[in-house]
Amino acid sequence: MASRVFAVDLGAWSVKIAIATPGLRGTSLLNIVERVVPPGDDARELRACRTLATMVDELRLSDEVGYLGVSGDNVFTQVVEFGFKNLRRSELDKAIGGELENVVPVDLEDMVYAYEPIPAAPSGVIEPGEQVRGRVAPPSEGMRVLTYAMRKSRAEELIQLAKLGGFEPRGILPAGGGAAKLVERVPSLAQARLDGPVAVIDIGHERSDVVVVHGGKAVFSRAIARAGKQVTEAIARFWRLDFAKAEEAKHRDGFIASTSEPATTEAWKRIHDVLVQELAPFARDIRQTLAACRARTGFQPIAALLVGGGSRLRGFGAFMTEQIGIPSWRLTGDDIAALAGLRLAPQAANLPIESAALTIGMAYDCAGGRPQFDLRSGALAVKVDLSFLRAKLVPAGAGLLAILAFASLSAYADLYRLRKEQRVLDQRLADETTQFYGSAKTPDDVLGTSSGPGGTGGTDSPMPRMTAYDILLEINSHIPTKDKVTLDVEKLSIENNKIEIDGTAKTSQEVDTLVGELKKIDCFHKEVNPGSLDPVGDLKKFHLSINSYCM
């Protein structure tokens, strides 16, 4: 397994890379890097590739597993409905291919696509008697499937662009999988007790991706051609600034008013009057997108999560809440810390978490080895896999034979050495038991007798009840799961009748939970002594001292 996995977003304004590492206790985020694409006369994608090449070289990612994110304006997104259920994936693949050929203006042989079945819309998403404008899709008698499709020639272009950027992408990822992982890892949604579809709105530079997520899966996806660039152009026109200065002014002084956050001065009102000319049509497009989701799938989003560089506009959350009629907010401080993970949490404030949120979701999605949606499929995937096997088959086979030969020789040598040592130990046992008991005895005979020649037998064995390895396994089995506590064990020392554990936890309650579970181990006799807790940033550093009676 690769030590690092990364996702790349070749955006219109900047290039973003999120690096993660998979592990037994979950995926950890290692780094998030964003670089602005420099201006120039060359095509934007070529300039972005040169920026990417520099980043890949600096971060030493050329030999790691990388995935390339693709924006919604590069793909065809469709919700396909079938009258059957529980079809095998190979048969479903054929059915979806035939259906897409009828609705996408690309021949099947010139298309690559990815898909995932949509969970059934739960009852109660739209309350009985609730006034809903527009059509609501009835429950499906079969199954609905969310599909992403792309011209194969465009997928090949993206692969070549990634190679110019210093790596060959293992997959091409649309927004659906990353948005699902993002919703899964944002604690503010759980704190608000929202149990229903959530719309992830990623506001980029030239376009915005809207993905509706429910039950850990994307159920609807659409891209709209309105984003931060139109707001910047409005500022540049009104105040007669060049584009770069208008962009800087937007990030520094941009403001959009609402009933809950009104403009307090004439200057703020003037800024609002300029920006609302572009943001009002943007909100209208979002309303139409959510209505299309309801009409096509039956899902009515109950909240919206605003991410991307365009979401950082002051007052934008309150404005969108009023415009689209559902609670809308940007990432909170807890959300940013949760997405950054324990390793990056101390420096999360200085990282581009908000602008790269969807890229981070993609990194979490692909770290498991099988992203929800991957457009590097079909003919492209087969061609890459077979070429890899042909190139590596002979050296891999030779290496395997060499490993087997050396393993056989090593095993034979170890067996010979063990038998020789066994003969020496058997002779020593016979000599010493003859001197002690008057006759040679076997190990079972010795363990069944008492410690003296005249004993009656039946005493406890001198062997310890548990080894250090047994105690390690017992401690591991009693550590609470990661949904209950967030622990980072830095040191574990097991000595004769003494065990010490050093680590960090989020709260003192989590340390108490760990102590309570360890006290359940019989060999500890509830002698688990927690020391003082020392604050380390937002974490608590603890030291546990345990007496063991089984060694």
Side-chain angles (χ1 to χ4, degrees):
M1 181 181 289
S3 59
R4 294 189 296 173
V5 179
F6 64 97
V8 174
D9 178 10
L10 285 175
W13 176 254
S14 64
V15 177
K16 295 174 280 287
I17 296 180
I19 309 171
T21 178
L24 295 177
R25 303 196 70 168
T27 301
S28 298
L29 204 62
L30 296 179
N31 203 356
I32 310 151
V33 183
E34 181 180 20
R35 297 276 177 83
V36 176
V37 177
D41 296 330
D42 294 334
R44 178 194 58 79
E45 288 186 338
L46 292 178
R47 288 183 278 119
C49 282
R50 286 195 287 268
T51 303
L52 174 62
T54 302
M55 298 168 70
V56 168
D57 183 61
E58 291 177 358
L59 299 170
R60 299 180 181 179
L61 296 174
S62 57
D63 295 328
E64 305 291 352
V65 177
Y67 290 80
L68 181 63
V70 58
S71 57
D73 54 355
N74 284 283
V75 297
F76 302 99
T77 308
Q78 297 287 336
V79 176
V80 181
E81 187 166 348
F82 297 102
F84 45 76
K85 293 182 179 180
N86 303 323
L87 198 65
R88 290 186 301 177
R89 194 166 183 91
S90 58
E91 298 297 327
L92 181 60
D93 188 86
K94 296 177 183 178
I96 289 175
E99 188 69 22
L100 286 178
E101 193 173 27
N102 296 327
V103 295
V104 174
V106 183
D107 292 335
L108 184 59
E109 59 270 17
D110 298 327
M111 181 197 312
V112 291
Y113 58 89
Y115 61 90
E116 279 294 326
I118 296 174
S123 59
V125 170
I126 299 175
E127 298 292 340
E130 181 181 352
Q131 295 296 324
V132 177
R133 296 179 59 185
R135 179 176 176 268
V136 179
S140 174
E141 297 181 357
M143 64 186 304
R144 292 188 175 105
V145 180
L146 176 62
T147 67
Y148 290 96
M150 175 187 284
R151 295 182 187 273
K152 186 165 66 175
S153 58
R154 178 54 179 165
E156 292 170 341
E157 288 177 7
L158 291 173
I159 293 171
Q160 292 303 316
L161 286 172
K163 289 181 179 179
L164 290 176
F167 79 103
E168 180 166 355
R170 178 71 61 86
I172 300 175
L173 309 183
K181 289 297 181 181
L182 186 63
V183 170
E184 179 182 300
R185 292 177 175 269
V186 169
S188 62
L189 296 173
Q191 293 168 1
R193 298 182 179 180
L194 297 174
D195 185 16
V198 175
V200 177
I201 305 175
D202 179 47
I203 305 146
H205 184 62
E206 293 183 346
R207 51 97 189 114
S208 298
D209 287 312
V210 182
V211 182
V212 178
V213 177
H214 179 73
K217 287 190 174 184
V219 300
F220 189 81
S221 181
R222 177 175 287 183
I224 61 176
R226 289 184 182 274
K229 180 180 179 181
Q230 287 76 19
V231 176
T232 304
E233 290 174 343
I235 294 173
R237 286 193 305 268
F238 186 83
W239 279 281
R240 299 180 181 178
L241 301 173
D242 61 39
F243 191 86
K245 290 184 178 179
E247 186 75 19
E248 181 183 351
K250 179 181 70 174
H251 292 303
R252 185 183 64 246
D253 300 322
F255 171 74
I256 184 71
S258 59
T259 302
S260 58
E261 295 185 27
T264 56
T265 65
E266 283 298 321
W268 287 124
K269 186 177 184 306
R270 185 162 57 251
I271 294 173
H272 162 81
D273 292 340
V274 174
L275 269 56
V276 77
Q277 298 177 24
E278 295 295 336
L279 292 178
F282 171 82
R284 179 198 62 211
D285 290 347
I286 296 296
R287 287 195 302 271
Q288 293 174 349
T289 299
L290 301 185
C293 172
R294 184 175 63 244
R296 195 69 186 87
T297 67
F299 286 98
Q300 171 66 37
I302 61 174
L305 184 65
L306 308 174
V307 297
S311 68
R312 293 177 292 188
L313 191 67
R314 191 182 292 110
F316 190 59
F319 173 79
M320 289 298 294
T321 297
E322 293 181 1
Q323 291 292 315
I324 64 178
I326 56 177
S328 308
W329 62 81
R330 295 165 45 190
L331 296 175
T332 66
D334 290 341
D335 296 336
I336 291 175
L339 288 175
L342 290 178
R343 298 191 185 192
L344 297 180
Q347 50 182 317
N350 300 320
L351 295 174
I353 303 288
E354 286 184 289
S355 58
L358 203 57
T359 312
I360 295 170
M362 290 180 183
Y364 280 120
D365 183 34
C366 63
R370 186 188 180 278
Q372 285 191 22
F373 300 93
D374 186 358
L375 288 169
R376 187 158 194 183
S377 58
L380 290 180
V382 170
K383 182 170 62 176
V384 171
D385 291 345
L386 291 179
S387 64
F388 173 81
L389 290 176
R390 284 196 298 269
K392 300 295 183 181
L393 185 59
V394 174
L400 179 60
L401 291 176
I403 291 172
L404 290 175
F406 282 111
S408 300
L409 291 174
S410 177
Y412 178 78
D414 290 341
L415 180 62
Y416 177 80
R417 185 167 56 254
L418 288 173
R419 286 179 175 175
K420 183 178 179 180
E421 293 175 354
Q422 182 181 8
R423 289 193 294 269
V424 173
L425 292 174
D426 287 344
Q427 186 60 44
R428 286 182 58 187
L429 179 64
D431 294 341
E432 294 180 5
T433 54
T434 299
Q435 294 177 4
F436 192 73
Y437 292 103
S439 62
K441 292 184 178 294
T442 65
D444 291 337
D445 294 336
V446 174
L447 294 176
T449 61
S450 65
S451 59
T456 59
T459 61
D460 291 338
S461 169
M463 299 295 290
R465 288 173 55 191
M466 298 181 72
T467 65
Y469 182 71
D470 295 328
I471 289 180
L472 177 62
L473 294 179
E474 191 75 3
I475 291 174
N476 183 65
S477 66
H478 282 77
I479 291 179
T481 57
K482 63 181 181 181
D483 60 331
K484 295 181 180 178
V485 299
T486 303
L487 298 175
D488 188 4
V489 177
E490 299 175 349
K491 178 183 176 183
L492 175 60
S493 174
I494 302 177
E495 298 178 357
N496 188 22
N497 298 330
K498 187 73 172 181
I499 301 166
E500 294 184 348
I501 303 176
D502 294 334
T504 59
K506 280 190 174 182
T507 63
S508 57
Q509 289 78 8
E510 292 186 345
V511 178
D512 295 338
T513 301
L514 173 62
V515 171
E517 290 296 322
L518 293 179
K519 285 184 177 180
K520 297 178 181 179
I521 300 176
D522 294 336
C523 285
F524 294 172
H525 287 244
K526 298 185 178 180
E527 293 194 12
V528 182
N529 303 315
S532 61
L533 298 180
D534 299 322
V536 180
D538 295 335
L539 305 177
K540 302 292 184 182
K541 186 175 181 64
F542 63 85
H543 173 80
L544 304 182
S545 178
I546 306 171
N547 294 325
S548 174
Y549 298 92
C550 294
M551 298 184 66

